[in-house]
Amino acid sequence: MKRRKFLKTTVVGVSAGTIAAPAIVRAAQTFSWKMTTTWPPQLPFYQVGPGSAEGMAKNIEEMSDGRLKIKVYAAGELVPWNGGFDAVSAGTVEMNHGVAYYWAGKRFAAQYFGTVPFGMSYAGQTAWYYHGGGLELWNEVYEPFNLVAMPCGCTGVQMGGWFRKEMNSLKDFQGLKMRIPGLAGKVYGQIGVNVKLLGGGEIFPALERGVIDAAEWVGPYQDRRLGLHKAAKFYYTSDWHEPSTTSELIVNKAAYNKLPKDLQAIVQAAARDAHVTSYTWAEAYNADALEDLVKNYGVQTRQFPPDVINALRKVTYQTLEEEAKKDPMTRKVHDSFMAFKKKHDVWGNLSEAYFLSIR
Ligand code: CA
């Protein structure tokens, strides 16, 4: 009876004067959270497997010895694929796994935390988040939405896409029907492409039937999964539009603040773990899939002609500059990103880019 009373009072935190109390209080605090995602169920890299949403949730549960349990819901299971931002903001669910550029319609600045066309690859982009002020800006942009944000994955350099015909000049892009979403779609539209918005499941049938002439998705592993190599043979690299697409973990701020400091640290550590685990997973499995596509399916890799790349770069920078003019927060993020990139490009060209060219 005496012991029961002791437990009761310490659990609610009334009596804190004994040595045993903190341990008992801690053991009693468990959290059961929900995480929605923007991904279909069973999608490797994003939803399941090493570095994915489910992988990260499992790590958090293990690292916290079961004190923070997270049930993961794929797109449509709890909210639609693009409903996670509002659900976490409202506190309906505690977490969402997605990509920040999906929220660029709410605040354009979110684009910079997804990927920036002609921006930086994994090394530079990640350095900006962790050591160049990027992560602080990300959280500043999301401040009005009651969210804590952090990177939790990276595809590495994505591919330029699948084309039914070889592309030899800017002229070949006039009227080309291409599936490409977001900012890249906007830029392609300005060089004369007839941009089509199709969901993942619609791409293969449209490309196979010639409803579209070209499509981009992710990279060799994910593209092979959709069967795009069976609908088009020319696989373009020179990826300019998604050089380092970052997965995003958003957490409801009130829920995050209720976690003890060690569980907050575990969430942060699990996200960093997923960031490097997913990136290295993608590097390994893309290399494997590319070999298979070229050897066994006759896929031919190509680079976009220089005049195309030059036109796309010019339009991209113009578009980003126009968006930055419209909104002070976008201006702040844009200037931070570009200043970091300018400096890092010099270092990256001297170090990694040069090394890659001589090995
Ligand atoms: Ca893509």
Side-chain angles (χ1 to χ4, degrees):
M1 191 63 200
K2 227 177 170 183
R3 179 168 162 76
R4 182 179 285 176
K5 192 177 174 214
F6 168 79
L7 277 173
K8 199 179 170 192
T9 50
T10 47
V11 166
V12 297
V14 175
S15 162
T18 69
I19 292 167
I24 291 167
V25 169
R26 178 173 289 188
Q29 282 182 320
T30 61
F31 299 83
S32 290
W33 281 13
K34 297 186 183 80
M35 183 202 291
T36 49
T37 78
T38 59
W39 319 114
Q42 303 309 319
L43 180 64
F45 176 85
Y46 289 113
Q47 184 72 14
V48 298
S52 68
E54 288 190 5
M56 181 167 58
K58 188 166 167 272
N59 264 352
I60 290 172
E61 185 169 338
E62 283 177 7
M63 287 196 277
S64 69
D65 196 22
R67 286 188 297 132
L68 178 50
K69 287 190 171 67
I70 299 159
K71 184 156 170 44
V72 183
Y73 296 86
E77 288 179 351
L78 214 54
V79 298
W81 74 271
N82 59 355
F85 188 94
D86 291 339
V88 179
S89 180
T92 318
V93 299
E94 288 83 4
M95 289 176 152
N96 186 75
H97 186 286
V99 176
Y101 59 38
Y102 291 133
W103 327 125
K106 294 179 188 293
R107 294 201 88 171
F108 183 81
Q111 176 71 44
Y112 293 80
F113 313 116
T115 190
V116 178
F118 292 103
M120 293 185 280
S121 62
Y122 176 83
Q125 182 82 22
T126 303
W128 179 62
Y129 294 140
Y130 291 145
H131 309 288
L135 188 53
E136 287 80 4
L137 284 168
W138 197 341
N139 281 286
E140 196 180 328
V141 170
Y142 285 7
E143 177 77 49
F145 303 99
N146 307 311
L147 299 172
V148 176
M150 61 201 83
C152 66
C154 186
T155 61
V157 174
Q158 294 201 8
M159 287 291 279
W162 298 85
F163 291 74
R164 287 163 63 93
K165 287 184 311 189
E166 239 179 308
M167 308 305 290
N168 295 313
S169 74
L170 202 49
K171 222 168 71 220
D172 292 340
F173 283 80
Q174 306 309 303
L176 182 90
K177 295 192 287 292
M178 181 173 186
R179 183 269 175 192
I180 179 131
L183 183 57
K186 216 169 154 181
V187 171
Y188 265 125
Q190 288 183 65
I191 69 157
V193 170
N194 182 355
V195 175
K196 303 285 182 193
L197 296 175
L198 301 173
E202 300 169 305
I203 302 174
F204 174 75
L207 190 61
E208 195 194 27
R209 294 202 316 270
V211 176
I212 52 174
D213 309 304
E216 80 84 37
W217 180 233
V218 183
Y221 180 88
Q222 303 290 4
D223 294 359
R224 183 181 59 177
R225 229 175 148 257
L226 289 193
L228 301 183
H229 55 291
K230 293 173 188 159
K233 280 285 170 269
F234 297 104
Y235 198 19
Y236 276 77
T237 178
S238 309
D239 178 60
W240 57 277
H241 71 285
E242 294 197 63
S244 56
T245 305
T246 303
S247 301
E248 167 196 79
L249 177 66
I250 45 176
V251 187
N252 175 271
K253 192 178 275 176
Y256 184 81
N257 287 340
K258 276 183 204 148
L259 292 180
K261 287 273 177 279
D262 64 329
L263 289 186
Q264 289 181 352
I266 284 172
V267 169
Q268 298 277 349
R272 284 195 298 274
D273 176 89
H275 194 62
V276 69
T277 302
S278 65
Y279 171 68
T280 48
W281 186 95
E283 286 295 300
Y285 284 84
N286 278 332
D288 191 58
L290 179 67
E291 183 184 67
D292 177 47
L293 289 168
V294 171
K295 261 194 195 164
N296 303 321
Y297 295 94
V299 166
Q300 297 184 43
T301 57
R302 292 285 186 279
Q303 293 178 352
F304 291 129
D307 66 331
V308 173
I309 289 295
N310 290 336
L312 290 167
R313 189 191 300 106
K314 195 173 157 208
V315 175
T316 294
Y317 284 134
Q318 276 170 1
T319 306
L320 291 173
E321 190 51 47
E322 279 162 24
E323 291 292 343
K325 272 187 196 146
K326 288 183 202 164
D327 159 47
M329 194 66 231
T330 302
R331 171 97 268 158
K332 191 173 173 183
V333 176
H334 176 86
D335 288 354
S336 165
F337 183 91
M338 289 303 170
F340 191 90
K341 171 175 151 52
K342 193 176 172 193
K343 197 180 277 190
H344 187 264
D345 282 355
V346 176
W347 161 240
N349 285 342
L350 187 72
S351 57
E352 185 146 16
Y354 176 69
F355 167 71
L356 293 177
S357 76
I358 59 160
R359 78 208 193 283

